[in-house]
Amino acid sequence: MENEFFKNRLNITRRHFFGKAAAGIGGLALGSLLIPKIWKGDGTDVSSSPLGLAQYAPKAKRIIYLCQNGAPSQYETFDYKPLLTQMMGQDLPESIRGGQRLTGMTASQTKFPLMGSYYNFRQHGQSGAYISDLLPNIAKIADDICIVRTMNTDAINHDPALTFLQTGAQVGNRPSMGAWMSYGLGSENKNLPAFCVLLSRGRGNGQGVYSKLWTNGFLDSTHQGVVFSSSEDPILYLNDAEGIDKQDRRRMLDHLAELNQLGFDESGDPEIQAKVQQYEMAYRMQTAVPELTDLSKEPDHIIKMYGPDCLVPGTYAANALLARKLSESGVRFVQLYHQGWDSHGNLPNEMGMQAQDVDRASAALITDLKQRGLLDETLVIWGGEFGRTNYCQGNFTPDNYGRDHHPRAYSIFMAGGGTKPGTVYGETDEFGYNVAKDPVNIHDFHATVLHLMGINHEQLTYKHLGRRYRLTDVSGNVIPGLLA
């Protein structure tokens, strides 16, 4: 009688009930496999717990960010402005500058002579995108990249601008992009970090890079970027000490974990558990890293594609090839910093040397990913922290000049990962000084990158000191024109 009551009341059968229950149990099992700690129940705020999964179907699974530290000039790369050549040496009209702020390096100048590019531009690919002769290899892949000409930032000096680009804030102690990706999506390879950092130095005037650019900020320290060295040991102190074998190392880590657990039980400090996780990651990396960083085993046609410098540790070419290997192995976010683009003087020569370092390898990376079927799921970003002025800094000479910092409009490019290939997004005015159409600020850029990774930028948050933080702070919009 009672069974009949529930059957009529709920309009379900026993078969229906058990079928639905089985589906629910299967979902729980799947969740525990995808996110091992999902049922841990440690009492932490859910807003501060790693998501571990994209919030909707992602276009990209991984990111390789080729950061050109020091800010390459858009006028010598991707923003063709013939008017600057026609008006060479004439003063920038005040109506164009509009009283916008200057750095201390040009604020005392009484004249701002316009300077056209030392390098010629040509149209490339079916898109007809204008690209400088300075970058002939990147020009060959014009139909694989999306050039953004209207990036703009709030900062006018390197440190705050680079910090803003990498963390979404001009101040320190905010999680970097890679840390947010690690926190939001986790790692695809348990033997490698989710966030790796590669450093190279060009031959131009350099700006320094520093750990706050790849910091975890207030996130768990397991999300901090792991820096690879250009020495014989890519990860310093990873190898066992002399006289210690794998068994000894394993026993030591087990005992250390027990001691740390006692400390955690007493204090409840989550960083204690984070340290244990880092020790375990280092132990697993001892097997994975040596093989991964051995570039000499790459086939000849790959070495030829990237150039002979790819066999020289610490070069941009070597790091570009290593970035592909790391990404291919499941590293979520690979950040490559190449220093040397800060051309306040002697720009034609300095940019020429920088281009020799990066042009071939940058194009090779995208071509390599494409031929391996990985470009569709790997987002590649190339660009600096701001742009350069359309006027000359210091003494005016047509063949030897410099350009100051310019935050109002500059160029980057993106490839793969759901971006629209063979396109040019946004327009600057005829002087290249201001955005004329379709601006993209740093928060918009971050929102779009997160969207491509399957994350709603407004929902990826972390509660810290009483408020919820996010990479895009309190603004940012996804740019549909950049999406395929």
Side-chain angles (χ1 to χ4, degrees):
M1 188 70 178
E2 185 177 354
N3 290 340
E4 193 66 29
F5 169 79
F6 281 110
K7 177 179 177 181
N8 295 332
R9 186 80 178 207
L10 302 176
N11 195 28
I12 61 172
T13 65
R14 180 181 293 183
R15 179 177 297 176
H16 180 79
F17 171 77
F18 283 112
K20 290 295 184 181
I25 293 171
L28 296 177
L30 177 61
S32 67
L33 289 172
L34 293 174
I35 315 176
K37 298 182 181 179
I38 195 170
W39 313 122
K40 189 175 180 180
D42 57 4
T44 57
D45 186 339
V46 69
S47 69
S48 299
S49 299
L51 303 183
L53 285 174
Q55 292 158 292
Y56 48 83
K59 300 285 187 179
K61 295 180 180 179
R62 295 169 293 277
I63 295 175
I64 299 175
Y65 197 144
L66 308 174
C67 185
Q68 309 304 316
N69 178 220
S73 166
Q74 68 274 26
Y75 301 111
E76 277 74 23
T77 52
F78 301 109
D79 202 1
Y80 177 46
K81 295 300 173 188
L83 181 65
L84 298 183
T85 301
Q86 297 170 22
M87 296 182 63
M88 183 88 78
Q90 298 182 41
D91 208 39
L92 171 66
E94 179 56 35
S95 61
I96 300 299
R97 188 166 75 84
Q100 293 175 24
R101 64 188 294 207
L102 304 173
T103 73
M105 291 170 284
T106 52
S108 61
Q109 289 187 197
T110 57
K111 296 290 184 181
F112 301 94
L114 295 170
M115 177 62 63
S117 174
Y118 179 84
Y119 299 96
N120 294 323
F121 278 73
R122 307 177 200 272
Q123 289 181 283
H124 296 273
Q126 294 182 355
S127 65
Y130 279 99
I131 299 177
S132 164
D133 288 352
L134 186 68
L135 303 170
N137 291 287
I138 292 175
K140 292 176 183 177
I141 59 167
D143 287 336
D144 293 319
I145 66 176
C146 174
I147 298 172
V148 184
R149 288 183 177 156
T150 51
M151 287 289 295
N152 57 90
T153 182
D154 298 343
I156 198 170
N157 289 311
H158 291 286
D159 184 291
L162 196 55
T163 305
F164 187 34
L165 178 66
Q166 298 303 317
T167 70
Q170 296 184 48
V171 296
N173 196 38
R174 297 287 181 86
S176 57
M177 287 181 69
W180 278 114
M181 295 297 174
S182 173
Y183 164 69
L185 294 173
S187 177
E188 288 189 304
N189 187 333
K190 67 178 183 179
N191 296 325
L192 291 170
F195 178 20
C196 294
V197 178
L198 309 175
L199 307 176
S200 59
R201 187 171 185 85
R203 292 171 283 177
N205 184 32
Q207 285 290 328
V209 293
Y210 21 82
S211 60
K212 73 174 180 177
L213 299 176
W214 50 86
T215 181
N216 55 295
F218 43 70
L219 297 178
D220 189 291
S221 60
T222 56
H223 302 300
Q224 180 173 344
V226 174
V227 181
F228 279 57
S229 168
S230 60
S231 67
E232 293 182 0
D233 295 326
I235 304 294
L236 298 179
Y237 314 116
L238 186 65
N239 296 328
D240 291 326
E242 186 176 349
I244 301 294
D245 59 23
K246 295 293 287 185
Q247 289 75 22
D248 292 334
R249 178 73 168 176
R250 181 67 267 167
R251 284 193 294 270
M252 183 272 289
L253 291 176
D254 291 340
H255 289 310
L256 186 61
E258 292 175 5
L259 292 172
N260 277 309
Q261 185 62 46
L262 293 174
F264 177 75
D265 292 341
E266 182 177 337
S267 68
D269 184 357
E271 276 300 301
I272 294 176
Q273 292 187 324
K275 291 295 183 184
V276 173
Q277 294 177 43
Q278 290 169 330
Y279 288 137
E280 293 295 334
M281 171 61 75
Y283 179 75
R284 296 193 297 272
M285 287 171 64
Q286 286 182 318
T287 300
V289 167
E291 180 178 356
L292 191 64
T293 56
D294 185 0
L295 305 183
S296 64
K297 295 181 180 179
E298 289 292 309
D300 291 342
H301 73 277
I302 294 296
I303 302 300
K304 183 177 180 181
M305 183 188 302
Y306 284 84
D309 281 352
C310 75
L311 296 178
V312 181
T315 62
Y316 182 88
N319 285 346
L321 178 52
L322 180 55
R324 186 223 81 202
K325 296 188 69 175
L326 289 167
S327 183
E328 188 177 31
S329 298
V331 174
R332 184 73 67 183
F333 195 99
V334 182
Q335 180 86 61
L336 194 166
Y337 291 97
H338 187 66
Q339 303 167 73
W341 290 100
D342 193 20
S343 301
H344 289 276
N346 195 22
L347 183 147
N349 182 55
E350 288 189 3
M351 284 198 68
M353 292 189 297
Q354 290 292 104
Q356 288 179 27
D357 288 339
V358 309
D359 174 51
R360 182 174 180 175
S362 298
L365 172 62
I366 293 169
T367 302
D368 196 5
L369 291 169
K370 185 177 181 180
Q371 70 184 13
R372 292 170 185 270
L374 295 172
L375 186 59
D376 288 345
E377 62 185 35
T378 306
L379 174 61
V380 180
I381 305 167
W382 189 104
E385 61 267 35
F386 44 59
R388 291 283 163 180
T389 56
N390 59 1
Y391 56 82
C392 175
Q393 176 182 340
N395 295 328
F396 171 79
T397 56
D399 296 330
N400 189 358
Y401 56 91
R403 298 188 189 272
D404 199 5
H405 308 164
H406 185 64
R408 302 293 299 177
Y410 71 101
S411 300
I412 68 168
F413 75 75
M414 307 167 78
T419 56
K420 187 179 295 184
T423 60
V424 176
Y425 185 84
E427 297 177 10
T428 56
D429 63 31
E430 58 184 349
F431 289 90
Y433 199 89
N434 297 297
V435 172
K437 179 182 177 183
D438 298 328
V440 180
N441 66 40
I442 299 299
H443 292 313
D444 296 334
F445 168 70
H446 288 157
T448 304
V449 170
L450 288 172
H451 176 84
L452 290 167
M453 295 293 286
I455 296 174
N456 183 331
H457 72 101
E458 294 179 338
Q459 295 181 19
L460 182 63
T461 64
Y462 188 92
K463 191 174 182 180
H464 175 64
L465 297 179
R467 64 160 284 194
R468 284 176 171 82
Y469 289 85
R470 67 188 206 216
L471 176 60
T472 52
D473 197 34
V474 295
S475 60
N477 296 291
V478 175
I479 307 296
L482 300 178
L483 311 179

